[in-house]
Amino acid sequence: MSRGSGKGLSLKDKLDGNELDLSLCDLNEVPVRELAALPKATILDLSCNNLISLPSDFCSLMHLVKLDLSKNRLQQLPLDFGRLVNLQHLDLLNNRLVTLPVSFAQLKNLKWLDLKDNPLDPVLAKVAGDCLDEKQCKQAAVKVLQHMKAIQSEQDRQRQRKLQAEREMEKKREAEQRAKEAQERELRKREKAEEKERRRREYDAQKAAKQEMEKKTKKETVHTQKPASSSRPPQPPRHKPSWSRSVLRVVLFMLFLILCTLAACKLTELQHQPLCISMNTLYEDVVAALQNHKTLQNMLQHNSQQ
């Protein structure tokens, strides 16, 4: 194993109590796995190496209390550097840092900080100030933490405003979508009503046309039947039976019965019956009356001739 990776080092040999000195080891990588196996090493010195960056899993070394990364070539710290919540002393002297990660504000136990000889952002450099003595380094830790907390709060507010704006935009889109759906429903409803009205008009028109056709056909049928009925020969009127004929028939029938009765009374043994006697008497009276009437008629005729 190369010395540059740090894996050829015997970390236990360099461990002195709770201090682990890996300075001047020409490291370009941090042996995080080996360091994680030494939770007693709360003080770690990685100064005067060739470190350009720290791996993201370096922030899992949460047992670190004092960390010296001075005189390396670090250009930035991991974004979750704030996970090192137990860190109290941090030396970043003479690196290539411009800014610090926002999570730096989570280092609530940080009491000492040195950021000298870094190409810091002017605002951050002014906040950090110098670290020429213990007091200035402690003030740098307090001021930088306050500054990073302000940045974090501002970012949180921006994030909240962004989320609020996104929510409002989402609500607006949902409202627009609902309005669009309502408009589409209204349009479909209106189209359906128009289609129904069109079909109703077509139905009424077809019904009216059918009625007109039936009326026209009926007129043509009547017009066709009239000449045929006028060309027929006149039928003889049917004679209805009259009352006079019925009475005449009844009278003739009664005369026939009377004649039959007279014949029976004259020619049969019934002539001695009371009914026949009456009938014969009545017959003789009628005959006598007719004779008298005839005699009177002859006399009148004789007188008129004279």
Side-chain angles (χ1 to χ4, degrees), residues 175-191:
E176 291 177 352
Q177 182 66 22
R178 288 194 296 269
K180 183 179 179 181
E181 292 175 355
Q183 186 177 4
E184 291 177 353
R185 286 195 299 270
E186 185 64 25
L187 180 60
R188 289 194 297 269
K189 185 178 180 180
R190 185 164 59 251
E191 290 177 350

Side-chain angles (χ1 to χ4, degrees), residues 4-277:
S5 65
K7 295 182 179 179
L9 298 175
S10 177
L11 299 185
K12 289 185 178 181
D13 294 340
K14 290 184 173 293
L15 182 62
D16 183 10
N18 63 344
E19 296 184 13
L20 180 61
D21 187 0
L22 297 180
S23 63
L24 300 171
C25 292
D26 196 24
L27 298 176
N28 52 35
E29 293 181 6
V30 179
V32 176
R33 182 176 298 178
E34 289 79 359
L35 292 173
L38 298 174
K40 292 183 179 181
T42 58
I43 300 175
L44 177 63
D45 188 354
L46 290 170
S47 63
C48 302
N49 283 293
N50 299 318
L51 301 176
I52 297 176
S53 63
L54 299 177
S56 59
D57 57 351
F58 180 84
C59 301
S60 65
L61 303 176
M62 298 174 61
H63 59 277
L64 294 177
V65 175
K66 184 177 181 179
L67 177 62
D68 190 350
L69 291 168
S70 63
K71 298 181 181 180
N72 280 280
R73 294 183 293 169
L74 295 174
Q75 298 179 1
Q76 62 181 8
L77 298 178
L79 294 178
D80 56 349
F81 192 80
R83 291 177 59 192
L84 302 175
V85 292
N86 292 313
L87 197 61
Q88 298 180 13
H89 185 110
L90 178 61
D91 193 345
L92 294 170
L93 171 71
N94 194 10
N95 278 278
R96 299 178 183 179
L97 298 174
V98 177
T99 61
L100 296 175
V102 178
S103 65
F104 200 92
Q106 300 174 11
L107 301 176
K108 58 183 180 179
N109 292 314
L110 189 65
K111 303 292 192 265
W112 195 97
L113 177 64
D114 189 356
L115 288 171
K116 291 192 309 296
D117 299 331
N118 281 280
L120 296 175
D121 176 81
V123 176
L124 180 60
K126 184 178 179 179
V127 170
D130 293 327
C131 183
L132 302 176
D133 54 31
E134 188 77 10
K135 182 179 179 180
Q136 288 182 345
C137 293
K138 288 182 178 181
Q139 289 178 350
V142 174
K143 291 180 179 180
V144 169
L145 282 178
Q146 290 176 350
H147 177 69
M148 298 309 298
K149 286 180 180 179
I151 293 176
Q152 186 181 49
S153 298
E154 181 61 25
Q155 288 187 355
D156 290 342
R157 286 192 294 270
Q158 291 180 358
R159 192 179 299 108
Q160 290 296 327
R161 287 195 294 268
K162 184 178 180 181
L163 290 175
Q164 183 66 24
E166 290 177 353
R167 292 193 194 100
E168 292 178 356
M169 185 62 68
E170 183 65 23
K171 289 180 180 179
K172 184 178 179 180
R173 284 195 295 267
E174 290 177 356
E176 291 177 352
Q177 182 66 22
R178 288 194 296 269
K180 183 179 179 181
E181 292 175 355
Q183 186 177 4
E184 291 177 353
R185 286 195 299 270
E186 185 64 25
L187 180 60
R188 289 194 297 269
K189 185 178 180 180
R190 185 164 59 251
E191 290 177 350
K192 186 176 179 180
E194 292 176 355
E195 176 66 17
K196 185 176 181 180
E197 180 63 20
R198 184 186 64 80
R199 292 172 59 187
R200 187 187 65 79
R201 289 196 298 267
E202 289 180 355
Y203 174 78
D204 292 341
Q206 292 176 358
K207 186 176 181 181
K210 184 178 179 181
Q211 291 177 352
E212 185 66 23
M213 183 62 70
E214 291 177 353
K215 189 184 295 185
K216 184 177 179 181
T217 303
K218 187 175 180 181
K219 287 182 179 179
E220 290 177 353
T221 303
V222 172
H223 182 71
T224 305
Q225 291 177 352
K226 280 184 179 181
S229 61
S230 61
S231 60
R232 292 179 182 177
Q235 296 293 332
R238 296 181 179 179
H239 296 286
K240 296 182 179 180
S242 61
W243 287 100
S244 59
R245 286 191 177 187
S246 299
V247 172
L248 180 60
R249 289 177 181 176
V250 171
V251 171
L252 291 177
F253 180 72
M254 291 179 67
L255 290 176
F256 177 74
L257 290 177
I258 293 170
L259 291 176
C260 291
T261 303
L262 289 174
C265 290
K266 288 288 187 182
L267 300 177
T268 63
E269 295 178 353
L270 297 174
Q271 58 183 341
H272 300 291
Q273 295 296 326
L275 178 60
C276 286
I277 294 172

